[in-house]
Each structure stands twice: as C-alpha cells, then as structure tokens.
Amino acid sequence: MEASMNLLHDRGIQATRWLQEHFQGSQDWFLFISFAADLRNAFFILFPIWFHFSEAVGIRLIWVAVIGDWLNLVFKWILFGERPYWWVHETDYYSNTSAPEIQQFPLTCETGPGSPSGHAMGAAGVYYIMVTALLSTARGKKQLRTLKYWVLWTVLWTGFWAIQVCVCLSRVFIAAHFPHQVIAGVISGMAVAKTFQHVRCIYHASLRQYLGITFFLFSFALGFYLLLRVLGVDLLWTLERAQRWCAHPEWVHIDTTPFASLLRNLGILFGLGLALNSHMYLESCRGKQGEQLPFRLGCITASLLVLHLFDAFKPPSHMQLLFYILSFCKSAAVPLATVGLIPYCVSQLLAMQDKKAA
C-alpha cells in the first residue's frame, strides 16, 4: 500500500513540476484561481447575490458549502492525505536520488491534510448548485426543454467543467495538492450538491433545528478529534510539517487549520439560522417589498459593499482561542447582515421614500 501511494505521489510531483516548468508565465492566473475558489468568496460574494434573487438557491448554496466543507474535514482526518510541498522532503522514496525541486507560492502552505481537496470540493459543490439553478429557471414551470435550453445547457456545463479543470490545475501547480486529491474533491463536491437537491427541510428549518445541527457538527468533529487523540493519533501532525517545510514562515496561516475552517463554517450556518428566524427578515424580505426588483438590487449592492468592508477585519492570530471565537462571530455576522440587517435597513429607506413621494 505504501509503495503504491509513493508511486502515486511521485506521479503527482512530476505533474506539479511539469506545470511549473511549462506554465510559469501563468503563475498569477493560477494564484487568482486558487484565491477565487476559496469558500470565503462563496459566502461573501455569491451568497448575497443568489439569496436576494432566489432565496431557496441562496440557502441551498450555504448548506452545500458548509456541510461539504465539514465532510471534507472529516475525510481529511480519516485519510491522512499528504501535501506535495512537504511530502517531497519527508519521504524516503528519493533516498537513492535527489528529491525533485518544486516551487512554493504564498497560497501553497496550507496546514491541514491534503485529501480530498477542499478548494476543488467547494468549487464543485457551489458551481453545481448555480448551474442547476439556472437550468431549472430556464426550463420554467412547464419544464420545457427547447433548443435555447439545450444551448444554455451546453454553455453552462462547459463553463462548469472549465472552472473545475482550472481549479484542479491551480491546486496542483502551486503544490498544495496531488492530482488524485483534486479529482476526489470534485467528485465529492458534486455528490454533496446533488444530495441537497433532494433535501427540502432546509428551506423551513426552525432556529432550534439550526442550533441543533450546528451543535451536532461541532460535537461530532470535536469528539472525533479527542477520540483519535486518546488512541494516540495526532490530527494536527500536518501543522508541524507545514511549519517545517514551508519556504516562508509567514505563508503559514492559522486560518487554514482544520478547526479554523470548522468554526468559520459553523458560524455561517448559525448566523443563517438566526437571520432566517429574525423579525428583521420577516418584516423586510417576507414583506410587500420583498418581491420588488429595486429592493433586491439595493440589498445586493449594500450587502456586497458592507461584506467587503467587513472582510477586511482580520482576527488577531497570536492567540488561537481568541482567533477561533472571533472567526466564528465574524462568520455568523455575514448571513445576519445579508439576510436580516441590510434588507431591513433597505426596506425602511424605501418606505421613507414612498411616504415622501406620497
């Protein structure tokens, strides 16, 4: 088994070297793709847009992203996946020859296990939701599949796979993942998104249900971590390797650790539950103005602006506990602002304008 994995990893290292040698001029493009594929952009950019055009799609997008990333964390703890940038130094596969040299980049030194790829899994799940939502809208209530529909189907799925290929190549190029890890991520992400197309309870979940699911996800992950610690398995083994083999210590960020990802996602889910069951949401999005285009466009514009400013806040990383707490609160504030606070303020402003016009 170890020999087979060493051979698979060696083929991955050769793929990384080939990409770095032949596409060195595309370095900025690959770095941009890796940045864009981060789930943070799904929460801060895609979610506000989709929620205010189609609440069901926005809610499903959040659930797919959160549950998908939680499953990704559990898979990584089970599979113990290596990452190219440290494996090439740690392995004895090259004991009789010199180890291949691969280049590192500012986004290379992630600290969690490598399999499956979280970026590939997240991008596949989120974009699968968006493509199927657009196709469902194109079919309409009569579910007609005209020539225009099939042209759109071809364009959207071609774009979908083009994006997945770019994300996968990007992660391999920067030596953050092996090829088999990104392929596993794409398959897993699509499976999660496909599953949630048939889950209807998420659209009318109560606050108690949101709290219960958030607590379960956190308890399961923490309990699994503590159980393996008792059994002598250190699930934070990757942090030491990242710190040892990263070319620049400042490229190792605490926000790429497993628990940082866990608390970020749980904060998003918790905040969505609070927002959807709040008085502000019911009075604005569910009110008379909720169906009006100026209201929706105003909410999207204000949400993107506020969340962009909000994203500039970076919790202090020198104290891990404080960092995790603030990360959870920051994440919870994203759907609270997008779904509750901003729509409420926009609806009040529009109401004031209507009164003045009258």
Side-chain angles (χ1 to χ4, degrees):
M1 181 66 179
E2 183 179 356
S4 299
M5 290 305 300
N6 282 339
L7 183 61
L8 184 62
H9 287 148
D10 176 59
R11 294 294 180 268
I13 294 295
Q14 301 307 322
T16 297
R17 287 190 64 192
W18 187 87
L19 285 172
Q20 291 183 351
E21 289 175 1
H22 290 82
F23 295 93
Q24 189 63 38
S26 302
Q27 171 183 328
D28 292 339
W29 168 251
F30 283 128
L31 288 174
F32 168 76
I33 291 296
S34 273
F35 168 79
D38 193 294
L39 275 183
R40 179 180 58 187
N41 293 309
F43 298 141
F44 281 80
I45 298 175
L46 298 178
F47 169 64
I49 295 173
W50 274 103
F51 181 83
H52 290 295
F53 275 131
S54 175
E55 288 188 11
V57 177
I59 293 172
R60 187 161 68 247
L61 189 149
I62 288 292
W63 278 87
V64 167
V66 169
I67 300 300
D69 209 44
W70 182 83
L71 289 172
N72 180 266
L73 170 66
V74 175
F75 288 154
K76 284 181 175 179
W77 278 350
I78 294 174
L79 298 176
F80 292 91
E82 303 279 357
R83 289 187 184 269
Y85 77 92
W86 75 56
W87 180 85
V88 73
H89 300 290
E90 290 278 340
T91 183
D92 57 3
Y93 184 79
Y94 304 109
S95 57
N96 296 326
T97 60
S98 58
E101 293 186 6
I102 55 176
Q103 189 177 354
Q104 295 182 19
F105 303 91
L107 299 180
T108 296
C109 302
E110 297 197 3
T111 58
S115 187
S117 166
H119 281 69
M121 189 170 177
V126 167
Y127 282 91
Y128 186 93
I129 290 296
M130 293 192 294
V131 167
T132 53
L134 289 172
L135 291 177
S136 178
T137 302
R139 284 198 302 268
K141 294 181 179 180
K142 295 183 179 180
Q143 298 293 298
L144 298 177
R145 302 195 178 195
T146 62
L147 177 60
K148 290 183 179 180
Y149 168 82
W150 287 113
V151 170
L152 180 63
W153 185 95
T154 303
V155 170
L156 289 179
W157 283 116
T158 300
F160 172 85
W161 285 111
I163 291 173
Q164 304 316 310
V165 169
C166 286
V167 172
C168 291
L169 290 177
S170 168
R171 303 305 289 168
V172 175
F173 176 87
I174 67 173
H177 287 290
F178 293 100
H180 68 278
Q181 295 173 341
V182 294
I183 293 173
V186 171
I187 296 172
S188 303
M190 291 180 66
V192 173
K194 181 67 175 177
T195 300
F196 269 90
Q197 283 189 313
H198 306 286
V199 179
R200 299 298 173 189
C201 60
I202 60 175
Y203 305 117
H204 48 78
S206 65
L207 179 58
R208 178 177 295 182
Q209 290 173 317
Y210 270 97
L211 293 175
I213 293 173
T214 302
F215 180 75
F216 168 77
L217 295 177
F218 177 75
S219 300
F220 184 94
L222 181 61
F224 187 57
Y225 169 78
L226 294 176
L227 174 62
L228 292 182
R229 282 296 299 267
V230 171
L231 296 176
V233 179
D234 182 14
L235 292 177
L236 299 181
W237 60 278
T238 56
L239 181 59
E240 182 271 333
R241 292 195 179 183
Q243 293 172 334
R244 180 190 303 176
W245 296 115
C246 187
H248 299 274
E250 64 272 16
W251 289 354
V252 179
H253 301 290
I254 189 175
D255 61 355
T256 64
T257 60
F259 278 108
S261 172
L262 174 66
L263 290 173
R264 177 191 66 185
N265 293 323
L266 295 185
I268 290 286
L269 192 62
F270 174 72
L272 181 63
L274 285 178
L276 290 175
N277 291 276
S278 68
H279 171 74
M280 291 185 295
Y281 164 75
L282 295 175
E283 188 172 325
S284 55
C285 295
R286 288 296 182 180
K288 295 180 180 179
Q289 293 178 334
E291 297 297 324
Q292 298 177 3
L293 184 60
F295 171 78
R296 293 185 178 189
L297 293 176
C299 289
I300 292 173
T301 303
S303 295
L304 292 176
L305 177 60
V306 171
L307 294 183
H308 175 72
L309 297 174
F310 190 58
D311 191 36
F313 168 71
K314 305 297 181 185
S317 59
H318 59 280
M319 295 178 60
Q320 285 195 16
L321 180 60
L322 178 61
F323 176 85
Y324 290 146
I325 293 174
L326 292 179
S327 294
F328 179 87
C329 295
K330 176 182 176 180
S331 297
V334 171
L336 271 173
T338 302
V339 177
L341 181 60
I342 291 174
Y344 180 78
C345 293
V346 171
S347 68
Q348 294 299 310
L349 288 174
L350 292 176
M352 289 175 59
Q353 289 181 349
D354 291 341
K355 288 181 179 180
K356 289 181 180 179

